Amino acid sequence: MVDIKNKEYCPTLEEIGEFIHNSVFLQFCAEISAEYSCREKIEFSSCSWEYGWNVKYKKAGKSLCTIYPRDGYFTVLVVVGDREKAAVEAVLPECTPELKNIYEQTKPGNGQKWLMIDLEDKDKIYTDVFRLIEIRRR
């Protein structure tokens, strides 16, 4: 199995999927790639907060999300900036209590909220994450 913290070896998307050992990860990646006609970029982060390999999706130079592999699940980072704030807050009442709580508990920095959303199942919060990504894409 791949060592997600080994800077010397860049894993493939499939190897990251094996590390996570949750089929929702590869489904999520496939949906983003298909929906936004973009490819993943696997990058190594040396920052002490999220040290290790991650998966980034960008479209037209704009970040859609970053995925951090975990054991059995993955965390999706979606940034909500000033431009997205009103649109995100307009859809929040339709979102899961879990996502609302993440949004409310996340402190803004430089006019942005960095939402860290754990995904384990293809459930309603999974759908919520795609709503946020769609708002970022606009």
Side-chain angles (χ1 to χ4, degrees), residues 28 32 55-58 63-67 76-78 133:
F28 184 84
I32 290 181
V55 181
K56 293 186 180 184
Y57 284 93
K58 291 182 179 181
S63 169
L64 298 176
C65 69
T66 302
I67 303 168
V76 180
L77 165 65
V78 180
I133 292 170

Side-chain angles (χ1 to χ4, degrees), residues 15 40-41 52 62 67 69 74 88 97 114 122 130:
E15 287 172 322
E40 74 279 352
K41 185 170 185 188
K62 185 170 191 172
I67 303 168
F74 54 102
V88 167
W114 290 42
K122 195 170 179 180
F130 271 92

Side-chain angles (χ1 to χ4, degrees), residues 87-96 99-100 103-104 132:
V88 167
E89 289 178 356
V91 301
L92 270 182
E94 304 160 24
C95 293
T96 59
L99 185 77
K100 287 182 212 169
Y103 186 83
E104 289 162 10
L132 297 177

